[in-house]
Amino acid sequence: MRVTDQSMFHGLINQVNKNLSDYHKYNEMVANDGKRLNRISDNPAELATAMRHHGNAAAYEQYTLNVRDAEEYLKATDLALNKIHDILSRAREIAETNSTESSSEMERKIAADQIQELISEMIGIANTKMRDRYIFSGTNGENPAYSLEGKILPPLASTDNVYNEIVTTEGVLKGTGEFIVRFVHSGDVGDPDLDTTAMYQISNDGGETWTEATYFTNLTIAITDSAGNDTGLTMTFSPGYLSENDEFRVQVVPGQFMGNGDLVEFNNNMFSRVNTNVTGQALFEDTGFFDTLYQLKNALSYGNTIEISNGLAGLESLQTNIQMQVTSTGIELNRLEVTKSNLMMLQENVFENIQSIEKIDVVELLSKFAMAENALNSSVAALSKIFPRGLLSYL
């Protein structure tokens, strides 16, 4: 069978082209650090699988970052909770030391000042910041959990009062202060023309100056300063007889809650989320945390041993709650350790899968590249020997 020159030429050209294609393919792999899938045409099925693995790898990396962030927030929370527990223990020691009649008035006033110092320290801890967020502010983390003003305490009734009904206070006051409402005429709520209508005065300077006596014509009264200027606060009384010299104190102190009760959560996998904080709402507001401390301070200031004992019970309850939160935080931290370990294993597995699909052994790749180069050189040399260079150019 006769083989024409044209058939031989095309056969050699095809071989050169094939060897040239192999040479470029392996050269590209070498240039891309041994990556053997560089375009869809290389292997569409394997490339699709590799892309899915890359997507999983990106997700695992983000989950790992979420876990690290959550871990930092939880560690900050755990540290703050332990500090809070220590402060409550100190407050209990102070209260226990001054809970009997053997303590002098001076000792109790010093104890009250110590409790105030602990309250100030507690507000600082409640405003703990992690990175750029306040950890006890809920999802309102760009703002401190507590302000240094504006918290309205429940009205403090004198122990000598005849009136023993419920009294509440509402409103908004910028800053802090204490207002004394003192009844100077016995009676009930009623008409100014009746002798049975009670009358009261208000002072905001500790009793140095007072407003003029005002008839008690409404169960809700406006709290003013000693000069009669409105403060934005109101006090509401339940119906009942008010005796002359019945006295109530309205206190506006540091510690108004500025956060919310929403939890900050992070995804730690496709189907699970982890809480990274304990909200100030749950930890302080719902438990009456600062109310308990302020009530203890007032009890010490006015030598009310019954209220001091009640404060001790309240402190014990708060400590129990804090300890529960410490335990819960510890459980979350342990859970995150397990999650972090699992994510590391998943990342390693998906990386190995990507490597097995996309990468080729370097030694093997260099060997194939050398073989392709030799094959290309040989085919070009063979073509040059059979056909003169001038003829090749012509064809």
Side-chain angles (χ1 to χ4, degrees), residues 67 335-347:
V67 167
R335 177 188 168 199
L336 284 180
E337 282 295 324
V338 174
T339 301
K340 187 163 60 174
S341 178
N342 289 338
L343 284 171
M344 287 178 63
M345 288 189 294
L346 289 170
Q347 283 180 304

Side-chain angles (χ1 to χ4, degrees), residues 5 115 131 149 157 212-213 231 269 275 287 303 309 322 366 368:
D5 290 343
I115 294 298
R131 295 185 184 174
E149 58 184 21
E212 293 184 0
T231 64
N269 62 53
N275 295 331
T287 61
S309 296
I322 293 296
L366 292 176
K368 288 184 175 182

Side-chain angles (χ1 to χ4, degrees), residues 244-257:
E244 184 178 348
N245 294 324
D246 277 357
E247 189 175 280
F248 306 86
R249 291 177 184 265
V250 177
Q251 297 171 309
V252 183
V253 296
Q256 183 182 16
F257 185 56

Side-chain angles (χ1 to χ4, degrees), residues 147-392:
S147 73
L148 299 180
E149 58 184 21
K151 178 177 177 58
I152 304 173
L153 297 181
L156 180 64
S158 171
T159 55
D160 297 327
N161 283 1
V162 172
Y163 179 87
N164 195 31
E165 305 299 329
I166 296 174
V167 184
T168 59
T169 307
E170 295 180 340
V172 177
L173 176 72
K174 186 175 182 180
T176 59
E178 182 175 83
F179 304 86
I180 304 172
V181 178
R182 180 182 67 185
F183 282 82
V184 294
H185 185 274
S186 300
D188 297 292
V189 63
D191 193 285
D193 297 330
L194 300 176
D195 290 338
T196 55
T197 300
M199 299 180 70
Y200 64 89
Q201 292 177 305
I202 302 175
S203 173
N204 73 317
D205 55 12
E208 292 292 328
T209 58
W210 296 85
T211 61
E212 293 184 0
T214 303
Y215 284 101
F216 186 49
T217 59
N218 194 306
L219 289 174
T220 297
I221 65 173
I223 303 298
T224 67
D225 60 18
S226 299
N229 300 310
D230 187 28
T231 64
L233 302 174
T234 60
M235 178 183 286
T236 300
F237 294 80
S238 299
Y241 181 81
L242 288 146
S243 178
E244 184 178 348
N245 294 324
D246 277 357
E247 189 175 280
F248 306 86
R249 291 177 184 265
V250 177
Q251 297 171 309
V252 183
V253 296
Q256 183 182 16
F257 185 56
M258 307 295 288
N260 59 42
D262 298 330
L263 292 169
V264 177
E265 297 180 321
F266 284 97
N267 289 334
N268 60 351
N269 62 53
M270 189 179 297
F271 306 104
S272 177
R273 297 168 70 84
V274 60
N275 295 331
T276 62
N277 67 333
V278 179
T279 68
Q281 180 67 46
L283 188 64
F284 302 118
E285 296 301 295
D286 294 346
T287 61
F289 189 96
F290 287 105
D291 287 341
T292 298
L293 288 174
Y294 276 117
Q295 286 167 10
L296 175 59
K297 175 200 168 185
N298 285 329
L300 289 166
S301 295
Y302 299 106
N304 190 329
T305 54
I306 295 176
E307 285 299 318
I308 294 173
S309 296
N310 291 338
L312 275 169
L315 291 175
E316 183 177 358
S317 176
L318 292 177
Q319 276 190 300
T320 299
N321 180 61
I322 293 296
Q323 190 56 56
M324 290 173 59
Q325 296 290 356
V326 169
T327 302
S328 176
T329 301
I331 291 172
E332 288 290 350
L333 281 169
N334 290 335
R335 177 188 168 199
L336 284 180
E337 282 295 324
V338 174
T339 301
K340 187 163 60 174
S341 178
N342 289 338
L343 284 171
M344 287 178 63
M345 288 189 294
L346 289 170
Q347 283 180 304
E348 289 175 2
N349 289 337
V350 77
F351 180 73
E352 289 175 359
N353 288 333
I354 291 172
Q355 291 289 92
S356 67
I357 295 172
E358 292 187 345
K359 297 289 184 177
I360 188 171
D361 182 83
V362 175
V363 175
E364 180 184 355
L365 174 59
L366 292 176
S367 175
K368 288 184 175 182
F369 177 68
M371 291 173 62
E373 186 177 27
N374 290 334
L376 176 61
N377 291 333
S378 297
S379 60
V380 170
L383 185 62
S384 299
K385 289 179 181 180
I386 295 174
F387 293 96
R389 184 170 299 277
L391 180 60
L392 288 174

Side-chain angles (χ1 to χ4, degrees), residues 99-155:
S99 62
T100 64
E101 297 291 345
S102 60
S103 294
S104 67
E105 181 180 350
M106 179 62 69
E107 287 172 330
R108 288 199 181 106
K109 288 191 179 297
I110 292 173
D113 290 339
Q114 290 176 316
I115 294 298
Q116 181 58 60
E117 290 177 2
L118 294 180
I119 291 172
S120 298
E121 188 176 349
M122 264 304 317
I123 292 175
I125 295 172
N127 285 336
T128 295
K129 198 173 185 180
M130 177 64 201
R131 295 185 184 174
D132 59 343
R133 296 189 66 82
Y134 293 90
I135 63 175
F136 293 117
S137 293
T139 54
N140 191 30
E142 64 276 9
N143 297 315
Y146 284 90
S147 73
L148 299 180
E149 58 184 21
K151 178 177 177 58
I152 304 173
L153 297 181

